[in-house]
Amino acid sequence: MTTTILVLVLAVAVGLSLGLLGGGGSILTVPLLTYVAGMEPKQAIASSLFVVGATSIMSTFTHARAGNVQWRTGLIFGVASMAGAFIGGLAGGYIPGVILMLLFAVMMIATAVAMLRGRRNKASAEEKEQLPMGKIIIEGLVVGMVTGLVGAGGGFLVVPALALLGGLPMPVAVGTSLLVISMKSFAGLAGYLTTVSIPWPLVLGVTGTAILGALLGARLTRVVPEKALRKGFGVFVLVMGIFVLSQEIPTLLGG
């Protein structure tokens, strides 16, 4: 009972991350379900895809009411990501769990570095006039495959892609990324469900709690300085990535 309560409380952070930053949910959810809830890696990744997907849908509508979702760009990127995510989820069901967790840790560290380095907030006027749809589709496929395979690499890959390739302002890139994340998360989940079962009662509880955090996070976007938050969260993600590596490398070597 105590473990379940802890998992539900920590799920609030998952929602806050999605609502505030347009990403980061899976980076928190997978370790939460693996090391706190005690799920197997593949089960945790599949469950994470459902939690993040459902939470992103709710947060998308909150951002849309503020005018921060560009539906056309999001749907194009999202459809490409769904195809990649399904392939990644399908492949992930046949890859050893320890390998998936090591890939997940590498993704966490890469994400943390990107967060700490920062990004351009908007593209040039020329880039805005000539929207490179081909590049967006290719990037959508790649990001989708990463997400489907290891349950991570969602918003913190989608947001810069939308900001740089699509020329979207940062608030719009964050809101639009949530639409993309919800689409490709469920596509990746469909791939995993061919080989993995999910403990639905716990996952639904985590999802409900995360949605509450996401709604709060979306409202806080106008209050919390995003740059300071992103830097602090980047440090946290870097520490988490190193922690996951420290847990999984001995397992790999021992195996």
Side-chain angles (χ1 to χ4, degrees), residues 148-172:
L149 185 63
V150 299
F156 291 122
L157 290 178
V158 177
V159 171
L162 293 174
L164 295 177
L165 297 180
L168 303 184
M170 199 58 162
V172 179

Side-chain angles (χ1 to χ4, degrees), residues 31 192 210:
Y192 260 102

Side-chain angles (χ1 to χ4, degrees), residues 6-227:
L6 178 60
V7 170
L8 294 177
V9 170
L10 292 176
V12 175
V14 174
L16 282 171
S17 174
L18 284 166
L20 276 169
L21 303 175
S26 54
I27 284 178
L28 292 173
T29 308
V30 174
L32 171 64
L33 296 178
T34 302
Y35 301 116
V36 181
M39 291 186 187
E40 294 295 323
K42 294 181 183 180
Q43 193 177 53
I45 291 172
S47 299
S48 170
L49 290 168
F50 178 84
V51 173
V52 172
T55 305
S56 296
I57 287 177
M58 297 301 297
S59 196
T60 295
F61 291 117
T62 302
H63 280 272
R65 284 195 291 271
N68 289 335
V69 176
Q70 189 172 110
W71 296 98
R72 180 175 176 269
T73 300
L75 289 172
I76 292 172
F77 198 108
V79 169
S81 295
M82 287 177 73
F86 180 78
I87 295 171
L90 202 62
Y94 298 95
I95 297 175
V98 63
I99 299 298
L100 291 175
M101 290 304 292
L102 286 172
L103 290 174
F104 178 80
V106 170
M107 179 57 62
M108 291 179 74
I109 293 172
T111 295
V113 171
M115 292 169 66
L116 293 171
R117 290 179 59 185
R119 295 189 298 266
R120 291 163 53 195
N121 286 341
K122 57 184 178 180
S124 66
E126 181 180 353
E127 287 175 315
K128 289 183 179 181
E129 291 175 1
Q130 299 179 351
L131 188 64
M133 287 296 178
K135 290 184 179 180
I136 287 182
I137 291 173
I138 293 173
E139 183 119 357
L141 284 168
V142 173
V143 170
M145 288 185 68
V146 172
T147 302
L149 185 63
V150 299
F156 291 122
L157 290 178
V158 177
V159 171
L162 293 174
L164 295 177
L165 297 180
L168 303 184
M170 199 58 162
V172 179
V174 169
T176 305
S177 77
L178 291 164
L179 172 64
V180 176
I181 291 169
S182 61
M183 294 172 68
K184 62 190 179 63
S185 291
F186 284 115
L189 174 64
Y192 260 102
L193 287 178
T194 60
T195 55
V196 177
S197 61
I198 291 178
W200 288 108
L202 176 60
V203 170
L204 290 174
V206 170
T207 302
T209 309
I211 286 174
L212 293 177
L215 295 176
L216 176 61
R219 292 181 179 275
L220 289 175
T221 51
R222 299 178 182 179
V223 180
V224 179
E226 187 224 352
K227 183 177 180 180

